[in-house]
Every structure is written in structure tokens, then in C-alpha cells.
Amino acid sequence: MEDNYYLILRTSDNVETGTIPTKDVSKKRGLLKTFLKKSKKKPEQYAIIKYKPELGHTALYECNYQAVKDQLLQIESPDVFEGKFRIGLLYSQPHQNNENEMFCNTEVSQDFEEFTDLLGTRIELQGWNKYPGGLDVVGGKTGKYSLFTEFEGNEIMWHVPTMMPFFPDDPQQLERKKHVGNDRAVVIFRDPGGDPIPPNIVHSKAVHLCIVIEPVHNEEGDFYRVCVAYKNTVPFFEPALPEEAEFKKGPTFINFLLHKLINGIQATSHAEEFKQLMSFKYKHSLTCLCSDYGVKQEKKEQPEDVT
């Protein structure tokens, strides 16, 4: 198998990838050494010039800082959320079949209480100093309490309408919905006994992922039945839902659910609706990298092979 140099060339407009056979670079380097008698360029620099001849008169400098490598990895796999996620958590009674009914709930079932106990920690919002997820941690306008989860270095603030203030004169509960409606993912906990819920029951341009969870109680124990739906502009994301789509109540299920939600929210960034945000994040990261570690214009030196 032939040895190659693999190149990734990033600009603010696009990303190019290519390969250059090692033998071609060695041959070019040998010829230049013969004619110029001297060359300080490394093989990697010749590979770049071979791929992009227009860079032949550009001074190329090796940057071997670990921080640069780390930032390049972040650019390669951008996390626009920086480990902080906000997710809607709706409670649904068995007979409820539209979003207004769900947003108007003020009481919850024992099953829902047990589910939230597994999912996260009930926290007091007043003076909260971790990720607030858009909730009011000063004036109490979004309620006194919320649900918060720390998972594998990620912070998740749950938007739980039943923990938010209720306004009797508003049948749509817009103050509650404005939080859930701006989340990319929503979990609907459905008490058993009702008809299936349509996945687009929450009318929102932002919501791209909906996971419906229903408790199941039988002689074998307590389980959760899971249904996952997402818009067709969102690519597939792991972990895959098993065929039986039922999980025994416990930490293994919560581990699956949180991985599915975090990966799913990340996957929504590839949807058309969010590509502009990804593009902005990419350009900003690349600009910062060049600004922090690039050669400043006023300090540029002559190319190394000029004598």
C-alpha cells in the first residue's frame, strides 16, 4: 500500500481534504535541494505546496502547541452547546392529546415524581450558580424550583412546566411554553392508559427531537416504554433504540436516555435550520485560532528558503 500525506486545509469559507503520495514529495524535495543547494523546509511543507502551488511563496510555520491541537479537534467536532443543555420535560395525563392541556397541568402523578427522582436533582433557583438554562435565578419569575442533572461533564437544566408559575387566565400557558418551545429536545412523560401521542404535539420550530416515555408495571417489575421521533433533517444518532423499546426502571435506562438526548441535540446542529449557527461557530473558532497562534503581520519573517 502506498504511503501518503493526508491534508486538511481550512479557510473561513470551506474545508478541503486531499492526499499526496510520499514519493512525490520526496522527489520534489530532492530536486529543490539539488538546484537551491539548501532547503530548510520539512517534507510536510513540500506536501502542502504540492497540493496548493499558490502557497509556494508563502512562509509556512510549524505550530506544535498542544493548545492548537486541542482547538483543532474542537473545530473538527464542534460542540455549539459547550456541555450545557436545556431540555423540556412535559407531564401528560393519559387523556391529554394536545399541548395546551399538558402545559396547564399543575399536579403530577407518583410515576412522574419517581421518574424525575431518577433523572436529576430538584434545585432551588434563587441564587443558583451553575447553568441556569434561561431560567430566572434572581427574581423567581420562572418558579422557585427546577430539575438539574450533571452527567459525564455535561450540565442539563430541565424546563418542567409543572414547576413553573401557572397563569389561570392563559389557556396556552405561554410563559411556560416559551421555555419548552425554544428547546431542541422535549421529553414527554405520559401516564399509562391513553392513546399514543403524535410526536409533533409541541408546535415549535426549535423542537427537533421528541422522546415519549410511558411507565409500565407488570409482574416482572417496573419498566419504561420509550418512543423516539425526530425531524427528517436530523441525521441518525446513537445509541439505537432496541426493538422491544422497553427498559427496566433504574440507572441503566437513565444512562441510555441522557446519551440519546445529548447526542440527539448535537445531531440537530446538522439540520438545515441550524447550519447557520454551526457556520458561525466554525468561523469564530478558526478566527480565534489564527489570532492566538498565527504569525502577526508586523512580525512576519522572510521565507526560510530565501538566502
Side-chain angles (χ1 to χ4, degrees):
M1 190 170 103
E2 188 176 49
D3 291 331
N4 295 296
Y5 286 100
Y6 297 90
L7 299 94
I8 302 176
L9 182 64
R10 296 185 175 276
T11 68
S12 59
D13 297 320
N14 59 23
V15 180
E16 293 184 45
T17 61
T19 58
I20 300 292
T22 303
K23 63 180 182 180
D24 291 354
V25 174
S26 300
K27 183 178 178 181
K28 181 177 179 61
R29 192 180 184 211
L31 287 171
L32 287 174
K33 278 189 172 183
T34 300
F35 289 104
L36 296 177
K37 306 298 182 184
K38 181 181 180 181
S39 178
K40 295 180 182 178
K41 279 189 167 76
K42 293 187 175 182
E44 292 82 3
Q45 291 173 294
Y46 286 105
I48 294 171
I49 295 169
K50 176 73 175 177
Y51 182 73
K52 280 286 183 181
E54 58 266 37
L55 296 177
H57 298 291
T58 302
L60 300 175
Y61 299 90
E62 182 178 7
C63 192
N64 202 30
Y65 300 116
Q66 184 60 44
V68 173
K69 297 177 182 178
D70 293 341
Q71 287 193 39
L72 285 172
L73 286 174
Q74 291 178 6
I75 291 174
E76 189 69 29
S77 301
D79 178 2
V80 298
F81 307 99
E82 298 179 342
K84 302 181 189 301
F85 301 89
R86 38 183 288 171
I87 303 173
L89 177 56
L90 273 170
Y91 167 69
S92 171
Q93 298 177 38
H95 64 276
Q96 293 178 334
N97 291 304
N98 69 70
E99 63 173 5
N100 290 345
E101 291 176 326
M102 297 180 193
F103 280 111
C104 282
N105 282 324
T106 56
E107 303 288 335
V108 298
S109 65
Q110 182 63 33
D111 279 331
F112 183 76
E113 292 281 9
E114 292 177 3
F115 174 68
T116 57
D117 287 343
L118 283 173
L119 193 59
T121 303
R122 184 184 176 97
I123 56 101
E124 188 169 350
L125 288 172
Q126 184 76 29
W128 180 250
N129 59 8
K130 293 186 179 179
Y131 177 58
L135 299 182
D136 183 6
V137 296
V138 178
K141 293 180 180 179
T142 55
K144 187 175 182 180
Y145 301 101
S146 190
L147 190 69
F148 184 77
T149 301
E150 289 186 287
F151 178 70
E152 296 185 352
N154 299 292
E155 296 180 317
I156 302 171
M157 179 61 80
W158 301 89
H159 290 157
V160 191
T162 53
M163 291 184 173
M164 297 177 180
F166 176 76
F167 297 89
D169 295 330
D170 181 7
Q172 298 184 68
Q173 294 301 307
L174 294 178
E175 284 299 311
R176 291 175 163 187
K177 184 180 177 181
K178 75 178 182 181
H179 294 283
V180 177
N182 282 309
D183 295 333
R184 296 197 188 188
V186 172
V187 174
I188 300 176
F189 186 92
R190 174 83 152 180
D191 277 345
D195 295 328
I197 297 178
N200 61 344
I201 193 167
V202 178
H203 300 291
S204 165
K205 291 183 178 179
V207 175
H208 278 56
L209 166 63
C210 180
I211 296 182
V212 180
I213 297 171
E214 182 179 326
V216 176
H217 307 292
N218 56 40
E219 62 279 2
E220 296 182 7
D222 298 325
F223 297 82
Y224 291 115
R225 182 178 295 122
V226 180
C227 176
V228 178
Y230 49 92
K231 291 188 177 181
N232 56 15
T233 55
V234 178
F236 172 77
F237 51 93
E238 296 284 356
L241 189 67
E243 283 188 23
E244 64 274 14
E246 283 191 7
F247 297 82
K248 188 169 181 60
K249 178 181 177 181
T252 300
F253 164 64
I254 297 300
N255 185 281
F256 168 87
L257 177 62
L258 294 178
H259 274 119
K260 192 68 174 175
L261 283 165
I262 290 173
N263 291 345
I265 294 172
Q266 294 280 18
T268 64
S269 295
H270 298 283
E272 284 296 329
E273 297 86 341
F274 299 115
K275 277 187 176 179
Q276 186 176 359
L277 176 62
M278 290 291 286
S279 176
F280 172 80
K281 178 75 175 179
Y282 164 75
K283 290 181 179 180
H284 176 72
S285 299
L286 195 62
T287 300
C288 290
L289 183 64
C290 293
S291 175
D292 292 342
Y293 299 101
V295 179
K296 299 294 187 288
Q297 187 72 30
E298 64 271 15
K299 295 182 180 180
K300 281 187 178 179
E301 301 171 0
Q302 291 296 316
E304 291 178 319
D305 58 358
V306 174
T307 57

